[in-house]
């Protein structure tokens, strides 16, 4: 094999690898929920304290609706994980698995303290009967030691 | 010669009596085993149905009722915690002082009551000494700013000092007690090589 044909072969292999990489990125399983902002309040997108939280928020809700309990439980605040049994959490979150998440619209992001943020959002999903549902919710996120944690607050189910 | 005969007869009678009483005891033992089946056993102890019944009686005094399986689990926990408390030399006299008990108030079933006290002391000791990761305490503190808000401090919040840390630790451990008990029981079962006998295996 001369140098020119060797170079061609290497080029072909590299191109093939690149194509495979692109294909896997395009068709691989999504891990983020679709996050939208209201037409009249697009600036909410600027209120995220950092890119990481923006991405984690979308990822967390994707996991919740996908029924990946272990993964979403791992994102909860350390005190919550210490107190709440994972099976109890599984029972609490299993309702979401029956629904199909359409999108989340972030309505507001409020800085409660330097570490704690409250996200106001609406969640659009299809229930088990195929009906489109809309819910308004608030989510809390805590930053500690450069790491974001979801703060699940439900006084009825998990009085803390 | 006569004397020797009398002694021999006495010896035979004593022997017979001993054999007879031994036989009777064995029969009683078999009967007892049949009437009072073994529920669980481990290093240095066994739990029979009569002990579970006593435990059930004790629980039902407090107007609570549960299933037989739960009474058996509870009786095993009582026994293991009491054994561990004894091994650790936890002093029940302090508890008696705390409860204001007098000597003449000691119940008939003294050993059972003693085990109940030892169990309580052991349980209290577990919760009092349970170590929580700093991250757990910190996350509770920072996730509940309203709980620690105080205008008297420059920051607007009570600082996360030793007192606050201990307060949070107590709150969290109090809510974790089922998890802690379950973990403790699993460890003690291994330590005492507990074998569950019968239907609750």
């Amino acid at each position: 094999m001369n140098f020119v044909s060797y170079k061609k072969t290497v080029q072909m292999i590299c191109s093939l690898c690149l194509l495979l990489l692109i294909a896997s990125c395009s068709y691989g399983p999504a891990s983020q929920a679709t996050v939208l902002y209201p037409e009249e309040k697009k600036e909410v997108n600027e209120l995220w304290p950092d890119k990481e939280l923006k991405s984690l928020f979308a990822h967390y809700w994707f996991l919740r609706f996908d029924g990946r309990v272990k993964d979403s439980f791992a994102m909860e605040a350390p005190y919550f994980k210490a107190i709440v049994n994972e099976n109890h959490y599984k029972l609490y979150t299993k309702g979401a698995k029956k629904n199909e998440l359409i999108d989340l619209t972030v309505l507001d992001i409020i800085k409660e303290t330097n570490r704690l943020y409250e996200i106001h959002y609406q969640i659009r999903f299809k229930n088990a009967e195929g009906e489109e549902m809309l819910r308004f919710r608030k989510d809390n996120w805590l930053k500690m030691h450069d790491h974001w944690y979801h703060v699940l607050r439900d006084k009825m189910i998990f009085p803390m | 010669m006569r004397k020797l005969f009398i002694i021999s007869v006495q010896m035979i009678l004593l022997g017979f009596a001993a054999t007879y009483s031994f036989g009777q005891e064995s029969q009683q033992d078999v009967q007892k085993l049949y009437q009072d089946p073994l529920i669980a056993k481990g290093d240095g102890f066994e739990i029979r149905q009569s002990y579970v019944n006593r435990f059930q009686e004790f629980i039902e005094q407090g107007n609570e009722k549960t299933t037989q399986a739960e009474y058996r689990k509870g009786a095993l926990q009582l026994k293991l915690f009491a054994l561990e408390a004894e091994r650790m030399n936890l002093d029940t006299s302090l508890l008696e002082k705390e409860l204001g008990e007098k000597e003449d108030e000691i119940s008939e079933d003294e050993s059972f009551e003693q085990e109940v006290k030892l169990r309580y002391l052991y349980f209290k000791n577990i919760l009092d000494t349970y170590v929580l990761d700093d991250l757990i305490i910190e996350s509770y503190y920072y996730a509940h700013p309203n709980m620690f808000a105080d205008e008297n401090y420059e920051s607007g919040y009570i600082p996360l000092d030793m007192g606050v840390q201990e307060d949070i630790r107590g709150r969290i451990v109090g809510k974790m007690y089922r998890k802690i008990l379950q973990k403790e029981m699993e460890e003690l079962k291994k330590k005492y090589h507990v074998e569950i006998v019968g239907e609750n295996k």
Side-chain angles (χ1 to χ4, degrees):
Chain A
M1 190 187 283
N2 62 28
F3 181 71
V4 177
S5 62
Y6 173 76
K7 204 177 157 188
K8 258 188 175 174
T9 314
V10 170
Q11 271 177 341
M12 269 175 71
I13 291 169
C14 288
S15 308
L16 206 66
C17 287
L18 193 67
L19 274 170
L20 280 170
L21 185 73
I22 293 166
S24 67
C25 289
S26 314
Y27 299 103
S31 62
Q32 302 267 314
T34 305
V35 178
L36 308 168
Y37 301 90
E39 276 301 320
E40 70 284 4
K41 215 179 167 187
K42 288 276 184 200
E43 67 276 12
V44 172
N45 193 12
E46 308 298 316
L47 297 174
W48 289 105
D50 56 36
K51 279 183 186 171
E52 201 193 345
L53 180 59
K54 185 179 175 177
S55 165
L56 285 173
F57 173 75
H59 184 53
Y60 176 84
W61 283 104
F62 168 81
L63 294 174
R64 282 281 295 267
F65 275 84
D66 205 36
R68 283 156 66 177
V69 178
K70 264 196 188 307
D71 296 328
S72 65
F73 188 69
M75 293 172 78
E76 301 295 347
Y79 76 90
F80 183 88
K81 285 185 279 187
I83 295 170
V84 176
N85 189 297
E86 200 179 310
N87 285 333
H88 193 181
Y89 177 81
K90 192 177 178 178
L91 285 174
Y92 178 78
T93 57
K94 81 170 183 185
K97 198 180 182 297
K98 292 174 191 161
N99 303 320
E100 188 191 327
L101 178 66
I102 301 170
D103 53 41
L104 302 157
T105 303
V106 177
L107 306 169
D108 208 353
I109 298 169
I110 296 164
K111 183 181 177 182
E112 284 201 344
T113 67
N114 287 337
R115 296 169 183 270
L116 194 66
Y117 281 78
E118 189 170 83
I119 300 163
H120 296 198
Y121 62 102
Q122 73 178 28
I123 199 159
R124 203 155 63 96
F125 60 93
K126 266 187 194 167
N127 67 13
E129 285 75 41
E131 291 171 291
E132 197 173 299
M133 311 290 283
L134 201 61
R135 295 275 184 277
F136 289 88
R137 287 184 181 162
K138 288 174 188 174
D139 228 15
N140 289 89
W141 289 80
L142 172 70
K143 192 166 194 177
M144 273 174 41
H145 308 291
D146 291 326
H147 191 92
W148 284 103
Y149 297 96
H150 181 250
V151 178
L152 201 158
R153 284 185 178 153
D154 188 328
K155 285 182 183 172
M156 291 292 282
I157 312 291
F158 305 118
M160 299 284 167
Chain B
M1 185 68 186
R2 190 181 152 83
K3 215 175 181 180
L4 193 68
F5 172 74
I6 292 169
I7 290 168
S8 303
V9 170
Q10 275 178 335
M11 278 180 76
I12 291 165
L13 279 174
L14 276 171
F16 176 73
T19 315
Y20 178 73
S21 69
F22 176 74
Q24 244 187 349
E25 260 180 29
S26 298
Q27 221 172 4
Q28 278 170 354
D29 282 351
V30 171
Q31 217 168 6
K32 192 183 162 192
L33 282 174
Y34 181 71
Q35 287 171 344
D36 193 8
L38 187 65
I39 302 300
K41 62 180 179 179
D43 298 347
F45 78 94
E46 56 177 37
I47 291 176
R48 295 201 167 269
Q49 187 58 45
S50 56
Y51 185 79
V52 177
N53 294 345
R54 179 68 190 90
F55 179 77
Q56 181 176 348
E57 230 173 77
F58 172 74
I59 294 296
E60 289 179 1
Q61 276 170 14
N63 288 333
E64 272 193 53
K65 278 188 179 184
T66 185
T67 60
Q68 192 55 218
E70 289 301 314
Y71 288 131
R72 288 178 178 191
K73 273 186 201 167
L76 177 62
Q77 190 203 68
L78 170 64
K79 181 62 83 183
L80 288 174
F81 280 17
L83 282 170
E84 270 302 277
E86 251 177 358
R87 195 191 57 78
M88 291 167 73
N89 291 321
L90 296 181
D91 187 4
T92 54
S93 65
L94 295 171
L95 184 64
E96 279 152 20
K97 272 181 197 167
E98 201 180 299
L99 296 172
E101 282 187 2
K102 291 172 194 167
E103 270 183 38
D104 57 358
E105 284 177 332
I106 290 172
S107 79
E108 287 174 342
D109 194 356
E110 206 177 319
S111 69
F112 185 84
E113 296 288 331
Q114 182 71 2
E115 283 186 347
V116 170
K117 284 175 192 164
L118 284 168
R119 180 206 168 274
Y120 173 80
L121 284 177
Y122 185 67
F123 178 50
K124 191 173 176 296
N125 185 62
I126 298 171
L127 297 191
D128 288 350
T129 57
Y130 194 84
V131 179
L132 276 186
D133 194 292
D134 288 346
L135 201 63
I136 294 173
I137 294 173
E138 269 183 69
S139 66
Y140 187 91
Y141 175 79
Y142 292 120
H144 297 87
N146 294 341
M147 207 179 265
F148 303 100
D150 192 330
E151 288 172 359
N152 295 319
Y153 293 92
E154 203 182 323
S155 66
Y157 299 100
I158 304 168
L160 184 58
D161 58 17
M162 289 301 280
V164 173
Q165 283 180 32
E166 190 45 41
D167 176 50
I168 295 173
R169 198 199 70 83
R171 283 170 195 261
I172 296 177
V173 168
K175 290 181 190 297
M176 283 174 74
Y177 86 98
R178 279 180 201 278
K179 260 187 174 182
I180 297 172
L181 278 185
Q182 204 178 351
K183 195 177 153 218
E184 198 64 25
M185 270 299 282
E186 290 312 311
E187 280 169 14
L188 289 180
K189 274 186 193 172
K190 279 182 199 159
K191 185 177 175 179
Y192 284 86
H193 305 102
V194 173
E195 197 185 317
I196 310 290
V197 184
E199 61 196 70
N200 289 306
K201 241 178 181 178

